[in-house]
mmCIF file of all heavy atoms in Angstrom:
data_model
loop_
_atom_site.group_PDB
_atom_site.id
_atom_site.type_symbol
_atom_site.label_atom_id
_atom_site.label_comp_id
_atom_site.label_asym_id
_atom_site.label_seq_id
_atom_site.Cartn_x
_atom_site.Cartn_y
_atom_site.Cartn_z
ATOM 1 N N MET A 1675 88.766 102.155 79.868
ATOM 2 C CA MET A 1675 89.552 102.349 81.086
ATOM 3 C C MET A 1675 89.977 103.804 81.242
ATOM 4 O O MET A 1675 89.974 104.345 82.355
ATOM 5 C CB MET A 1675 90.776 101.426 81.053
ATOM 6 C CG MET A 1675 90.431 99.947 81.174
ATOM 7 S SD MET A 1675 91.883 98.866 81.099
ATOM 8 C CE MET A 1675 92.731 99.343 82.599
ATOM 9 N N VAL A 1676 90.331 104.444 80.130
ATOM 10 C CA VAL A 1676 90.676 105.861 80.192
ATOM 11 C C VAL A 1676 89.478 106.690 80.645
ATOM 12 O O VAL A 1676 89.597 107.599 81.479
ATOM 13 C CB VAL A 1676 91.194 106.337 78.820
ATOM 14 C CG1 VAL A 1676 91.323 107.853 78.792
ATOM 15 C CG2 VAL A 1676 92.540 105.702 78.514
ATOM 16 N N LEU A 1677 88.299 106.380 80.108
ATOM 17 C CA LEU A 1677 87.091 107.112 80.490
ATOM 18 C C LEU A 1677 86.765 106.918 81.966
ATOM 19 O O LEU A 1677 86.362 107.865 82.656
ATOM 20 C CB LEU A 1677 85.915 106.665 79.616
ATOM 21 C CG LEU A 1677 85.977 107.074 78.147
ATOM 22 C CD1 LEU A 1677 84.776 106.502 77.392
ATOM 23 C CD2 LEU A 1677 86.021 108.583 77.991
ATOM 24 N N VAL A 1678 86.925 105.698 82.465
ATOM 25 C CA VAL A 1678 86.657 105.429 83.879
ATOM 26 C C VAL A 1678 87.604 106.247 84.764
ATOM 27 O O VAL A 1678 87.180 106.861 85.759
ATOM 28 C CB VAL A 1678 86.794 103.921 84.171
ATOM 29 C CG1 VAL A 1678 86.809 103.663 85.675
ATOM 30 C CG2 VAL A 1678 85.654 103.150 83.528
ATOM 31 N N VAL A 1679 88.883 106.275 84.407
ATOM 32 C CA VAL A 1679 89.854 107.038 85.192
ATOM 33 C C VAL A 1679 89.530 108.528 85.163
ATOM 34 O O VAL A 1679 89.584 109.220 86.193
ATOM 35 C CB VAL A 1679 91.282 106.781 84.665
ATOM 36 C CG1 VAL A 1679 92.275 107.735 85.317
ATOM 37 C CG2 VAL A 1679 91.689 105.340 84.943
ATOM 38 N N ILE A 1680 89.155 109.052 83.997
ATOM 39 C CA ILE A 1680 88.847 110.474 83.876
ATOM 40 C C ILE A 1680 87.619 110.839 84.710
ATOM 41 O O ILE A 1680 87.620 111.831 85.452
ATOM 42 C CB ILE A 1680 88.637 110.857 82.402
ATOM 43 C CG1 ILE A 1680 89.963 110.764 81.631
ATOM 44 C CG2 ILE A 1680 88.058 112.261 82.281
ATOM 45 C CD1 ILE A 1680 89.829 111.011 80.155
ATOM 46 N N VAL A 1681 86.558 110.041 84.615
ATOM 47 C CA VAL A 1681 85.321 110.346 85.332
ATOM 48 C C VAL A 1681 85.544 110.273 86.840
ATOM 49 O O VAL A 1681 85.167 111.194 87.591
ATOM 50 C CB VAL A 1681 84.194 109.395 84.893
ATOM 51 C CG1 VAL A 1681 82.976 109.558 85.791
ATOM 52 C CG2 VAL A 1681 83.817 109.654 83.441
ATOM 53 N N LEU A 1682 86.167 109.199 87.305
ATOM 54 C CA LEU A 1682 86.397 109.062 88.741
ATOM 55 C C LEU A 1682 87.357 110.128 89.263
ATOM 56 O O LEU A 1682 87.185 110.627 90.393
ATOM 57 C CB LEU A 1682 86.932 107.665 89.056
ATOM 58 C CG LEU A 1682 85.973 106.503 88.787
ATOM 59 C CD1 LEU A 1682 86.625 105.173 89.141
ATOM 60 C CD2 LEU A 1682 84.671 106.681 89.561
ATOM 61 N N SER A 1683 88.340 110.497 88.463
ATOM 62 C CA SER A 1683 89.279 111.537 88.888
ATOM 63 C C SER A 1683 88.580 112.887 89.013
ATOM 64 O O SER A 1683 88.852 113.654 89.950
ATOM 65 C CB SER A 1683 90.444 111.634 87.906
ATOM 66 O OG SER A 1683 91.168 110.421 87.844
ATOM 67 N N GLN A 1684 87.681 113.193 88.074
ATOM 68 C CA GLN A 1684 86.958 114.455 88.153
ATOM 69 C C GLN A 1684 86.068 114.510 89.394
ATOM 70 O O GLN A 1684 85.986 115.544 90.070
ATOM 71 C CB GLN A 1684 86.117 114.645 86.888
ATOM 72 C CG GLN A 1684 86.932 114.938 85.642
ATOM 73 C CD GLN A 1684 87.732 116.218 85.758
ATOM 74 O OE1 GLN A 1684 87.247 117.221 86.285
ATOM 75 N NE2 GLN A 1684 88.962 116.211 85.271
ATOM 76 N N ILE A 1685 85.395 113.405 89.694
ATOM 77 C CA ILE A 1685 84.566 113.366 90.906
ATOM 78 C C ILE A 1685 85.430 113.549 92.150
ATOM 79 O O ILE A 1685 85.080 114.287 93.081
ATOM 80 C CB ILE A 1685 83.785 112.044 90.962
ATOM 81 C CG1 ILE A 1685 82.805 111.957 89.788
ATOM 82 C CG2 ILE A 1685 83.042 111.910 92.287
ATOM 83 C CD1 ILE A 1685 82.087 110.628 89.693
ATOM 84 N N TYR A 1686 86.571 112.893 92.167
ATOM 85 C CA TYR A 1686 87.482 112.975 93.303
ATOM 86 C C TYR A 1686 88.036 114.390 93.459
ATOM 87 O O TYR A 1686 88.141 114.913 94.581
ATOM 88 C CB TYR A 1686 88.607 111.971 93.100
ATOM 89 C CG TYR A 1686 89.438 111.699 94.326
ATOM 90 C CD1 TYR A 1686 89.013 110.806 95.290
ATOM 91 C CD2 TYR A 1686 90.668 112.330 94.510
ATOM 92 C CE1 TYR A 1686 89.776 110.546 96.411
ATOM 93 C CE2 TYR A 1686 91.437 112.075 95.617
ATOM 94 C CZ TYR A 1686 90.982 111.181 96.567
ATOM 95 O OH TYR A 1686 91.745 110.933 97.674
#
Side-chain angles (χ1 to χ4, degrees):
M1675 292 179 66
V1676 170
L1677 291 177
V1678 168
V1679 171
I1680 291 175
V1681 171
L1682 295 180
S1683 299
Q1684 289 299 320
I1685 296 175
Y1686 194 82

